């Protein structure tokens, strides 16, 4: 008895001959493991250690062995006196008398809680995302496979929603990865609150999440879920003292119509998500088969863009800009062109958005700036009057590049006077985290480079808003210039823009000038400069130099467009022209 009492493992002996087989003896280790004293357990059946947690396979197996009078063992969940869980590796053995009759059972308990919890932790790490605690890609795929099998048996549907945060990289670049990670954790918590009990939300990596909805009846269930997610995103996220406004784009695929494997459903939901982003973000799209072809074409375009950079297929065209009062050529805007060896000239409206999304706009944008500045330096030597080279800058370049540093380096490398360079920005850029943008713009202004606000009037233009930014030039969007002779409202807008800009010491450029009537109106409103098909079309560097830069100084061309424009150029501007970007 003394040896049993000091044993490390917990030991209990039950009396098989008495009703309900009560505990007859426990040792000190049993008391230590369970928290119960010997007096508290003797006379009771050991089942009280299981509590209500009776649905355990090993527990049932041990029970069958005991009733058969055999040995039994297994890993079971027991509960201490204080209610805490411990994992018990239990082995029970029958004891018989001289006649072979079963008289007692001896149970040997081994507390393996630490080992089991460590194994569970490792399993959780392997199946869940470390940052958010959500299931990871592997777990999502397994659950999706199970959901498909169940839906196949029950003739049900499965919905897969692929979520991607809009402009998440900008938040990371602006506030740092700590805040970015905090946003992802907050988003995960919010998504947990939007799903049904039977649903799963997983993080695949980065800012990509997937919601799995098994057992749905039709598309309407997925629509309700997507709308709930978008609604939940409307409330700002408070992360590390920052109130972050975030939105998400969602793509939806459905079993069985959009695929019958996890790979297909996830891939098609991803395609639909990209369509939601291209449609303006902060919304959702269902997959359709046309998206497969669109995705294939997009991937081919991405590969072709990579090759275009290496094969030097890009070139710049330049659109002259004239002073509306003196008629002198005062500058030009550099416009990116892609001459594909098989496709010919690829529209900037087609490849610029893809370059933005993939980050290829960074090396392309640097090439544009260097090439334009080198050309401007050469033309300054030919022109008797000062010229300004305008270069478009994308929001992606602001977010992911030391743009002020790049500008300084390019000016040094090309020996271009800073006053000869003008960077064109969009209103959408200025709307993003203004404090960060203002600092970058001021750093650029400190170099002596001028800043122009492109397509003015199409965004959230306001006097109080504009005063915050060190802008030198405002470019009136072509949609207003084109309507001055048809709509009084367009004329009123142009008058207001010119008056506002001049009151702030800014110069004004009218874009898309196409008729003599428009030119006369702009001159009457004291608009400073203009560019457009009436004055000159975008052209290659050699053509511009031959036409506008030989002495004497170039002057404003006649108001009537050429009778026979080049065959490669349209006679008039498109009805809804795309903004050309660099």
């Amino acid at each position: 008895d003394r040896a049993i009492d000091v044993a490390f493992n917990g030991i209990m002996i039950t009396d098989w001959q008495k009703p309900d087989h009560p505990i007859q003896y426990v040792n000190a280790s049993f008391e230590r493991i369970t928290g119960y004293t010997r007096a508290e357990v003797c006379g009771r059946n050991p089942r009280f250690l299981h509590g209500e947690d009776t649905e355990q396979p090993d527990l049932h197996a041990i029970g069958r062995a005991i009733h058969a009078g055999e040995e039994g063992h297994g890993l079971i969940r027991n509960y201490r006196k204080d209610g805490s869980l411990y994992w018990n590796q239990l082995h029970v053995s029958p004891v018989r008398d001289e006649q072979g009759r079963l008289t007692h059972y001896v149970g040997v308990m081994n507390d393996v809680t630490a080992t089991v919890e460590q194994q569970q932790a490792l399993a959780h790490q392997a199946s869940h995302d470390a940052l958010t605690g959500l299931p990871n890609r592997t777990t999502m795929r397994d659950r999706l496979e199970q959901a498909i099998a169940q839906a196949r048996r029950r003739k049900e549907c499965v919905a897969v929603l692929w979520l991607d945060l809009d402009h998440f990289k900008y938040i990371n670049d602006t506030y740092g990865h700590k805040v970015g990670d905090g946003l992802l954790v907050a988003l995960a918590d919010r998504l947990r609150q939007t799903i049904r009990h039977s649903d799963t939300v997983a993080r695949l990596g980065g800012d990509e999440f997937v919601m799995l909805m098994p057992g749905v009846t039709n598309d309407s269930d997925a629509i309700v879920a997507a709308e709930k997610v978008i609604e939940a995103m409307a409330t700002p996220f408070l992360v590390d003292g920052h109130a972050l406004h975030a939105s998400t784009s969602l793509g939806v695929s459905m079993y069985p119509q959009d695929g019958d494997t996890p790979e297909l459903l996830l891939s098609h939901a991803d395609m639909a998500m990209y369509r939601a982003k291209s449609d303006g973000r902060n919304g959702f799209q269902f997959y359709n088969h046309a998206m497969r072809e669109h995705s294939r074409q997009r991937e081919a375009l991405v590969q072709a863009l990579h090759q275009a950079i290496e094969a030097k297929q890009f070139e710049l065209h330049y659109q002259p800009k004239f002073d509306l009062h003196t008629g002198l050529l005062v500058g030009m805007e550099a416009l990116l062109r892609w001459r594909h060896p098989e496709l010919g000239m690829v529209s900037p409206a087609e490849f610029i958005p893809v370059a933005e999304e993939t980050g290829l706009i960074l090396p392309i944008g640097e090439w544009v700036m260097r090439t334009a500045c080198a050309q401007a330096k050469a033309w300054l030597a030919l022109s008797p009057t000062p010229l300004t080279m305008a270069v478009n800058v994308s929001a992606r370049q602001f977010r992911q590049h030391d743009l002020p540093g790049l500008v300084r380096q390019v000016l040094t490398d090309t020996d271009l006077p800073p006053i000869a360079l003008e960077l064109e920005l969009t209103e959408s850029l200025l709307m993003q985290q203004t404090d960060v943008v203002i600092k970058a713009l001021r750093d650029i202004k400190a170099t002596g480079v001028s800043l122009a606000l492109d397509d003015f009037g199409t965004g959230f233009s306001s006097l109080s808003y504009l005063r915050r930014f060190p802008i030198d030039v405002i470019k009136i969007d072509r949609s207003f210039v084109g309507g001055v002779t048809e709509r009084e409202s367009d004329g009123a807008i142009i008058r207001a823009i010119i008056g506002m800009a001049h009151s702030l010491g800014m110069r004004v450029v009218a874009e898309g000038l196409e008729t003599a009537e428009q030119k006369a109106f702009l001159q009457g409103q004291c608009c400073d400069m203009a560019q457009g098909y009436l004055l000159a079309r975008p052209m290659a560097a050699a053509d511009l130099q031959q036409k506008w830069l030989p002495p004497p100084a170039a002057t404003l061309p006649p108001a009537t467009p050429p009778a026979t424009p080049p065959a490669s150029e349209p006679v008039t501007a498109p009805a809804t022209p795309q903004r050309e970007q660099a």
Side-chain angles (χ1 to χ4, degrees):
D1 289 350
R2 185 175 180 82
I4 294 176
D5 201 49
V6 298
F8 178 78
N9 291 335
I11 296 176
M12 65 177 175
I13 300 175
T14 59
D15 191 335
W16 187 256
Q17 295 178 327
K18 291 184 178 180
D20 204 28
H21 316 309
I23 297 174
Q24 181 177 329
Y25 168 85
V26 295
N27 69 350
S29 292
F30 177 97
E31 295 178 313
R32 171 179 55 80
I33 293 171
T34 67
Y36 290 101
T37 65
R38 186 173 302 173
E40 290 172 321
V41 301
C42 284
R44 302 175 66 181
N45 185 285
R47 72 172 67 90
F48 78 91
L49 293 173
H50 315 143
E52 298 180 358
D53 189 5
T54 58
E55 294 304 315
Q56 304 184 46
D58 281 9
L59 183 60
H60 294 314
I62 292 174
R64 289 191 297 270
I66 290 175
H67 286 290
E70 301 172 349
E71 290 189 0
H73 61 86
L75 179 65
I76 60 177
R77 294 182 297 272
N78 281 354
Y79 295 86
R80 300 183 180 91
K81 183 178 179 179
D82 62 7
S84 60
L85 167 70
Y86 70 94
W87 288 89
N88 177 13
Q89 187 71 53
L90 177 64
H91 188 101
V92 294
S93 301
V95 178
R96 302 180 185 275
D97 61 15
E98 292 82 356
Q99 289 76 35
R101 291 175 298 186
L102 182 60
T103 60
H104 297 83
Y105 254 97
V106 176
V108 179
M109 301 168 54
N110 185 15
D111 184 357
V112 293
T113 305
T115 301
V116 171
E117 288 179 347
Q118 183 179 22
Q119 292 172 344
Q120 289 177 334
L122 292 174
H124 188 275
Q125 291 174 11
S127 61
H128 287 72
D129 173 53
L131 177 64
T132 64
L134 294 175
N136 60 16
R137 181 184 294 269
T138 301
T139 305
M140 168 56 72
R141 189 198 175 283
D142 290 344
R143 293 187 185 180
L144 180 52
E145 193 165 30
Q146 295 171 15
I148 291 171
Q150 185 181 71
R152 185 179 293 116
R153 292 192 302 270
R154 298 179 178 180
K155 307 299 182 184
E156 294 176 335
C157 297
V158 177
V160 176
L161 286 71
W162 188 296
L163 294 75
D164 187 278
L165 276 177
D166 299 328
H167 307 300
F168 175 68
K169 189 159 185 61
Y170 180 74
I171 292 175
N172 255 346
D173 294 341
T174 302
Y175 297 104
H177 289 280
K178 179 183 176 182
V179 172
D181 287 349
L183 175 59
L184 294 177
V185 172
L187 173 61
D189 291 339
R190 201 168 289 187
L191 290 177
R192 286 189 186 98
Q193 298 170 17
T194 67
I195 63 174
R196 306 173 305 174
H197 178 71
S198 58
D199 298 341
T200 297
V201 59
R203 182 188 179 212
L204 303 190
D207 60 330
E208 294 180 328
F209 296 80
V210 165
M211 290 175 59
L212 165 63
M213 301 178 63
V216 300
T217 55
N218 50 49
D219 292 0
S220 61
D221 293 331
I223 292 174
V224 170
E227 289 175 341
K228 284 178 64 177
V229 171
I230 293 173
E231 182 181 355
M233 299 291 291
T235 304
F237 293 85
L238 186 61
V239 180
D240 200 21
H242 302 283
L244 303 178
H245 295 268
S247 64
T248 184
S249 299
L250 298 92
V252 185
S253 65
M254 301 286 295
Y255 167 87
Q257 57 264 45
D258 298 330
D260 58 0
T261 67
E263 290 75 18
L264 277 176
L265 289 173
L266 289 170
S267 174
H268 291 167
D270 187 24
M271 291 182 192
M273 181 275 294
Y274 273 106
R275 175 57 60 88
K277 281 192 178 294
S278 65
D279 285 351
R281 305 176 190 269
N282 194 30
F284 64 92
Q285 282 287 341
F286 278 79
Y287 171 79
N288 60 60
H289 294 290
M291 291 180 184
R292 181 190 294 275
E293 179 61 21
H294 175 77
S295 177
R296 188 194 65 79
Q297 292 175 353
R298 182 184 182 278
E299 184 59 30
L301 185 60
V302 171
Q303 296 301 321
L305 275 173
H306 279 283
Q307 295 171 3
I309 296 173
E310 299 172 1
K312 297 181 172 56
Q313 296 172 1
F314 292 114
E315 57 188 66
L316 291 183
H317 283 194
Y318 302 88
Q319 184 166 31
K321 182 167 54 180
F322 295 91
D323 188 305
L324 280 174
H325 305 296
T326 65
L328 292 175
L329 176 70
V330 292
M332 58 284 299
E333 179 181 359
L335 301 171
L336 181 62
R337 296 290 183 263
W338 180 12
R339 192 181 299 276
H340 192 277
E342 298 175 1
L343 303 176
M345 297 299 287
V346 182
S347 169
E350 183 178 352
F351 73 84
I352 290 293
V354 176
E356 288 268 6
E357 292 173 10
T358 59
L360 290 173
I361 196 66
L362 300 180
I364 294 174
E366 180 173 347
W367 176 86
V368 168
M369 187 178 296
R370 288 187 176 278
T371 304
C373 287
Q375 184 63 73
K377 173 64 177 178
W379 280 341
L380 281 177
L382 300 176
S383 176
T385 57
L387 296 176
T388 300
M389 177 64 73
V391 176
N392 291 281
V393 180
S394 74
R396 189 70 175 263
Q397 288 173 278
F398 260 88
R399 293 199 302 268
Q400 295 190 352
H401 208 88
D402 177 17
L403 192 59
L406 174 63
V407 170
R408 288 190 293 268
Q409 188 62 52
V410 170
L411 291 174
T412 298
D413 294 345
T414 59
D415 196 28
L416 180 69
I419 197 173
L421 177 61
E422 180 177 282
L423 299 185
E424 293 194 4
L425 321 167
T426 61
E427 286 187 80
S428 61
L429 167 63
L430 302 188
M431 288 294 293
Q432 301 175 13
Q433 309 300 333
T434 54
D435 291 341
V436 176
V437 173
I438 288 174
K439 182 181 184 306
L441 294 181
R442 286 176 176 167
D443 289 345
I444 292 173
K445 280 280 291 183
T447 66
V449 172
S450 59
L451 300 171
L453 185 54
D454 201 6
D455 298 339
F456 190 79
T458 59
F460 300 92
S461 314
S462 71
L463 177 59
S464 60
Y465 179 73
L466 189 60
R467 288 174 60 190
R468 299 187 61 190
F469 299 94
I471 301 298
D472 302 288
V473 178
I474 287 179
K475 301 189 73 175
I476 302 175
D477 186 70
R478 65 181 66 234
S479 62
F480 298 114
V481 175
V484 294
T485 59
E486 302 172 5
R487 295 180 295 274
E488 175 59 30
S489 60
D490 286 353
I493 291 173
I494 288 180
R495 281 192 291 268
I497 292 175
I498 294 174
M500 178 183 65
H502 285 172
S503 69
L504 294 173
M506 302 174 184
R507 290 166 291 146
V508 181
V509 178
E511 297 182 286
L513 183 58
E514 297 178 10
T515 69
E517 291 78 10
Q518 294 167 3
K519 175 188 167 190
F521 176 86
L522 292 169
Q523 288 175 323
Q525 301 305 316
C526 298
C527 183
D528 302 292
M529 295 164 282
Q531 62 186 86
Y533 284 4
L534 176 69
L535 309 179
R537 298 168 179 271
M539 61 190 74
D543 295 334
L544 186 147
Q545 181 170 322
Q546 180 180 7
K547 187 169 185 179
W548 300 114
L549 287 177
T555 58
L556 193 68
T560 304
T564 55
S568 60
E569 296 284 352
V571 175
T572 58
T576 55
Q578 297 284 343
R579 176 178 182 268
E580 298 179 273
Q581 306 180 51

